[in-house]
Amino acid sequence: MPFSIFFFFFFFFFKMKSYIWLQTVDGSIQQVEEEVAMFCPMICQEVLQTGMGSSKNYAISLPQRVNPAILGLILDYCRFHQVPGHSNKERKTFDEKFIRMDTKKLCELTSAADSLQLKPLVDLTSRALARIIEGKTPEEIRETFHLPDDLTEEEKLEPLRNITDDPRIRLLNRLYARKRKELKERKKLKDVEVEEEPKDERSVEDLLSFINGADGDMKGTRTNKNKKKNRRRKDHAKDLSSKNENENDKDLNPLPSAYHNVYFDNALEASASKHSRMQNLPAISFSPKFEFIDGDVDDDLDPAMKEELDREVEDFARRLNSDWPERMQILSLGQDRRLVPISINSNGSTHLYTALAGNSISKVSGS
Amino acid sequence: MQILSLVDDQTVITASGVCRGWRDAIYFGLARLSLSWCSKSMNNLVLSLVPKFVKLQTLILRQDKPQLEDNAVETIAKCCHELQILDLSKSFKLTDHSLYELALGCRDLTKLNISGCSAFSDNALAYLASFCRKLKVLNLCGCVRAASDTALQAIGQYCNQLQSLNLGWCDNVGDVGVTTLAYGCPDLRIVDLCGCVRITDDSVIALATRCPHLRSLGLYYCKNITDRAMYSLAHSKVNNRMWGSVKGGNDEDGLRTLNISQCTALTPSAVQAVCDSFPSLHTCSGRHSLIMSGCLNLTSVHCACAVHAHRAFTTFPHPAH
């Protein structure tokens, strides 16, 4: 019993799915799904008007320009496009891949699609051919399409000749060719220059050590901090007027807002520079106020204070290391997003300034 | 030819020098050509190319610097008998001889742009109108000598299919010419009279009563226009609606663009009447089609949607109020 049901459905399915018979110029006959074949207006017209195509004996004779190979391509196109479910993006992608073929085949396809009145395919192939032709000299067009060079020298110049025999017009085609050559050469030169640009080939470990201050930057910072603490202690000891105290506080403030803006601009300029080795790295630097000054020694600090400062610096380094993967992720977002100076406050907290170029600066603080 | 219709005109000309097959296909198949890209030798190019392209229907010869001379237009007239669209704008060097030649050679012209061709006379334009009777679009902007009442009377008499006419800054145009035009060309849809300082209400009344399909009217700087003209336009909608019910016209007919900038004699009530009569006229920012710049006394005029928006705003005040 189940076998008979299966057989019934099998038979029913094949009965329902109707086909159209098509005959190409070489005499070969193909059986094509009706909905695919009917996508071609010429075939559709033939079926509706004459009733042809229903059997092998009454196959629809296709125009001379439609050979079996090209018919296969056309049917592939129809199979995809007659399905209503595809998005515009899918159709576009299919079309782009579909027309990737040699010029000869593209010409044959255009001609065949035209004879089958398949307008969307004619438009598609025509656009592709137009792109091939545009900007070429007659010589290049002849080469591309394997056309005969059957015009005399006089006839070749005729389209661009004028009554006064203006040499500018007469040699317009040749000028185009020369210009294109020059452009190609320039492009080659540019490519060579780009290749010669210095590249940052340091490993992640090297970069990490650079950021963590292995080059001595952190030491400098520590000294600055010690110096500042020392200076602050001395300031507190002195009996100064409130005005002077305010001024000192201002001095200790790591980066005034105006300074941040200038710094941000400089960082953007630096990152935009083509030949900078540090093009894609965050600019990590400190306020000039904190620069290491020779002769400043923190020997007079008591050991407890020194230990506390060491701990603070280590803590900062650890935080920097833990932030590193996140920071790398930000960097990988591209050049639009740039990390701009990390400054160290007098209280040991950090300000990390990140910005989208041209947008407002967002401030991430850590203490 | 479909492939060549997708490439620029320089490529088409280049392609005609590839081989005999391509050359013949282009020479006998090309219907549209633009030489506006040619900045130096357009005249010579026309002289050498146009005789080959015998099936041309559209020829665009706009120039930034005047290059075309009468011999080029003469060649066009003698070779392109199927020409329908011709753009000769800014051809300062052309004289009446060009118009006489075009009149005899290109009788199928439907669109002619001779804006900025200041050397043409009204007699030559009248002669052209008497031969090119299929004209539907005519741009005479800046043709101060050519666009006179005499020329407009000839256009009104012969070019009965005219649908669009630009008379911008033709300050010799008067009521006689515009009135004759309105009577002779009932199919007029676009009329630009910007800067025609001599015209009065009579011209607008003639257009309002005689041109039921009028969609766009430019009256910029027409200082003599008064409320009488506006009420005539507003009233024309009623008349046209009666005709529409007989002929099966739709409610969307009527003015869609009206420029009355610098028409300082107009009052708000008259302009509001026009605005109320034609729903397609808008003062709201998104669909600005009733242009009233320079008329400080007309700030109270609003289209229906602006009024609705205002009402909605006053009915449901902002929660902060």
Side-chain angles (χ1 to χ4, degrees):
Chain A
M1 189 69 179
F3 178 76
S4 59
I5 293 168
F6 170 76
F7 182 78
F8 171 76
F9 276 113
F10 183 81
F11 177 77
F12 182 74
F13 174 76
F14 273 93
K15 263 288 187 197
M16 287 303 288
K17 200 169 175 79
S18 52
Y19 289 87
I20 284 173
W21 297 81
L22 305 174
Q23 184 173 17
T24 48
V25 70
D26 65 341
S28 61
I29 295 171
Q30 281 194 49
Q31 193 184 20
V32 182
E33 305 97 294
E34 186 178 27
E35 63 270 22
V36 173
M38 295 289 261
F39 195 74
C40 293
M42 179 259 171
I43 295 170
C44 184
Q45 208 174 317
E46 198 76 16
V47 169
L48 296 172
Q49 284 180 4
T50 64
M52 295 283 279
S54 53
S55 70
K56 200 170 185 176
N57 298 334
Y58 293 98
I60 294 169
S61 295
L62 295 175
Q64 202 174 347
R65 289 178 278 179
V66 187
N67 61 46
I70 293 298
L71 179 62
L73 283 171
I74 289 171
L75 292 174
D76 287 344
Y77 178 86
C78 294
R79 252 180 221 108
F80 182 86
H81 280 274
Q82 61 93 22
V83 177
H86 296 299
S87 67
N88 286 344
K89 194 180 177 183
E90 285 173 325
R91 286 173 196 274
K92 201 176 176 184
T93 309
F94 174 85
D95 287 350
E96 278 170 10
K97 283 180 184 172
F98 184 76
I99 54 168
R100 281 181 203 158
M101 57 183 80
D102 62 90
T103 315
K104 187 174 180 284
K105 199 176 266 186
L106 199 56
C107 290
E108 286 176 14
L109 185 60
T110 309
S111 181
D114 185 48
S115 65
L116 291 171
Q117 297 160 26
L118 191 53
K119 196 181 181 300
L121 184 54
V122 174
D123 290 344
L124 177 68
T125 52
S126 296
R127 275 198 301 274
L129 286 169
R131 280 197 295 272
I132 292 167
I133 292 168
E134 205 145 31
K136 281 187 167 68
T137 61
E139 289 80 12
E140 288 170 335
I141 294 170
R142 272 195 290 274
E143 227 172 87
T144 307
F145 293 96
H146 309 292
L147 295 166
D149 189 359
D150 56 2
L151 292 173
T152 63
E153 202 59 38
E154 188 67 18
E155 284 174 323
K156 281 177 195 173
L157 289 169
E158 201 176 20
L160 296 172
R161 195 189 71 202
N162 52 58
I163 300 306
T164 58
D165 273 339
D166 186 341
R168 285 172 302 182
I169 301 292
R170 284 196 91 183
L171 299 171
L172 198 60
N173 280 342
R174 288 169 196 180
L175 275 173
Y176 288 153
R178 213 175 292 164
K179 271 185 186 174
R180 248 195 320 282
K181 261 188 186 175
E182 282 171 20
L183 282 169
K184 275 180 187 171
E185 280 165 16
R186 271 185 214 162
K187 202 177 179 187
K188 275 181 189 173
L189 281 169
K190 258 189 186 176
D191 290 347
V192 170
E193 278 174 24
V194 169
E195 279 170 25
E196 283 172 7
E197 275 180 20
K199 287 178 185 172
D200 192 358
E201 289 169 356
R202 287 178 290 182
S203 65
V204 176
E205 284 85 357
D206 291 345
L207 294 174
L208 262 170
S209 63
F210 171 79
I211 285 168
N212 290 340
D215 304 345
D217 283 357
M218 293 309 288
K219 188 182 174 190
T221 309
R222 191 193 303 177
T223 313
N224 288 341
K225 279 175 123 25
N226 294 347
K227 188 181 86 177
K228 272 198 319 227
K229 293 261 180 181
N230 210 6
R231 198 183 290 162
R232 194 186 291 164
R233 207 185 300 145
K234 283 175 187 170
D235 284 346
H236 281 298
K238 285 178 188 173
D239 189 26
L240 292 167
S241 66
S242 61
K243 189 183 175 187
N244 284 354
E245 269 180 33
N246 288 346
E247 278 174 15
N248 283 338
D249 283 347
K250 259 186 206 170
D251 273 9
L252 293 171
N253 192 21
L255 287 172
S257 58
Y259 185 76
H260 272 308
N261 293 341
V262 173
Y263 215 83
F264 177 60
D265 292 344
N266 290 346
L268 287 184
E269 268 178 44
S271 63
S273 165
K274 253 190 179 181
H275 301 289
S276 168
R277 279 179 69 82
M278 293 295 294
Q279 191 178 341
N280 289 326
L281 283 177
I284 298 171
S285 48
F286 305 97
S287 164
K289 279 194 167 44
F290 306 142
E291 278 173 14
F292 189 87
I293 301 162
D294 289 347
D296 270 345
V297 190
D298 52 10
D299 287 344
D300 57 334
L301 277 175
D302 65 289
M305 178 67 80
K306 213 172 186 182
E307 205 173 296
E308 194 186 325
L309 281 171
D310 284 346
R311 212 180 305 117
E312 248 181 60
V313 170
E314 276 168 27
D315 189 30
F316 172 65
R318 205 182 312 113
R319 200 177 309 119
L320 204 60
N321 282 338
S322 67
D323 284 352
W324 177 248
E326 189 182 323
R327 201 164 290 122
M328 284 301 285
Q329 202 176 357
I330 292 167
L331 279 172
S332 69
L333 290 175
Q335 285 190 335
D336 281 351
R337 179 153 186 154
R338 297 185 180 90
L339 292 172
V340 186
I342 296 169
S343 63
I344 302 178
N345 273 353
S346 52
N347 63 357
S349 70
T350 60
H351 285 332
L352 170 63
Y353 284 84
T354 68
L356 281 163
N359 290 4
S360 58
I361 300 173
S362 57
K363 182 170 156 184
V364 185
S365 287
S367 52
Chain B
M1 287 315 295
Q2 178 166 354
I3 297 161
L4 289 173
S5 71
L6 299 167
V7 299
D8 60 80
D9 295 278
Q10 280 166 286
T11 306
V12 171
I13 293 164
T14 304
S16 68
V18 169
C19 65
R20 284 192 180 160
W22 281 37
R23 183 191 63 182
D24 295 342
I26 291 167
Y27 282 176
F28 296 103
L30 194 73
R32 187 194 183 280
L33 180 65
S34 170
L35 297 178
S36 298
W37 50 269
C38 185
S39 56
K40 283 181 182 172
S41 313
M42 188 191 280
N43 201 70
N44 293 330
L45 210 53
V46 169
L47 290 170
S48 68
L49 288 178
V50 164
K52 316 286 191 303
F53 300 122
V54 290
K55 298 283 183 185
L56 275 181
Q57 291 178 5
T58 302
L59 184 57
I60 311 295
L61 301 171
R62 282 192 208 105
Q63 303 135 81
D64 289 326
K65 299 176 204 162
Q67 301 173 64
L68 276 192
E69 292 168 24
D70 289 330
N71 60 347
V73 179
E74 190 179 338
T75 305
I76 293 165
K78 281 179 178 162
C79 301
C80 305
H81 298 299
E82 294 179 27
L83 203 63
Q84 292 175 19
I85 299 168
L86 179 61
D87 189 340
L88 298 171
S89 46
K90 292 190 185 176
S91 302
F92 306 127
K93 290 183 180 179
L94 296 183
T95 68
D96 287 350
H97 180 69
S98 291
L99 287 189
Y100 290 127
E101 288 294 337
L102 280 176
L104 297 169
C106 303
R107 298 194 182 190
D108 286 339
L109 278 176
T110 57
K111 285 186 184 181
L112 178 63
N113 185 348
I114 51 170
S115 61
C117 299
S118 46
F120 293 149
S121 72
D122 54 354
N123 286 332
L125 184 57
Y127 186 80
L128 177 92
S130 66
F131 283 93
C132 301
R133 300 188 180 198
K134 294 178 183 176
L135 275 173
K136 288 185 177 179
V137 178
L138 183 57
N139 190 338
L140 301 172
C141 183
C143 298
V144 184
R145 282 184 63 217
S148 68
D149 287 345
T150 308
L152 291 188
Q153 281 174 307
I155 292 166
Q157 188 180 343
Y158 298 113
C159 306
N160 308 125
Q161 297 176 40
L162 200 67
Q163 293 181 8
S164 173
L165 179 63
N166 188 335
L167 293 168
W169 307 104
C170 298
D171 45 24
N172 288 333
V173 169
D175 289 330
V176 175
V178 178
T179 307
T180 313
L181 194 74
Y183 275 75
C185 308
D187 209 20
L188 272 172
R189 287 145 204 261
I190 299 165
V191 181
D192 195 340
L193 298 167
C194 295
C196 298
V197 290
R198 287 177 56 203
I199 65 159
T200 67
D201 295 336
D202 294 340
S203 293
V204 180
I205 292 165
L207 288 167
T209 53
R210 290 285 165 177
C211 303
H213 304 294
L214 197 64
R215 298 285 166 273
S216 175
L217 181 59
L219 298 170
Y220 174 79
Y221 216 78
C222 298
K223 301 263 186 182
N224 298 327
I225 302 297
T226 69
D227 289 352
R228 193 166 140 249
M230 293 298 106
Y231 284 120
S232 172
L233 279 171
H235 187 62
S236 73
K237 174 68 176 180
V238 180
N239 293 346
N240 293 342
R241 201 176 275 166
M242 285 163 67
W243 275 104
S245 59
V246 177
K247 294 181 180 179
N250 66 58
D251 216 36
E252 274 302 297
D253 280 355
L255 275 179
R256 290 174 194 168
T257 309
L258 178 62
N259 188 343
I260 47 170
S261 299
Q262 305 295 337
C263 297
T264 46
L266 299 175
T267 64
S269 55
V271 178
Q272 188 64 61
V274 176
C275 201
D276 294 340
S277 296
F278 301 104
S280 298
L281 285 179
H282 292 278
T283 55
C284 46
S285 56
R287 307 150 77 185
H288 210 62
S289 58
L290 175 56
I291 303 146
M292 305 177 289
S293 54
C295 302
L296 298 175
N297 58 329
L298 299 181
T299 48
S300 61
V301 176
H302 290 294
C303 60
C305 40
V307 172
H308 290 320
H310 181 69
R311 277 185 195 146
F313 183 77
T314 49
T315 315
F316 305 105
H318 196 276
H321 292 170

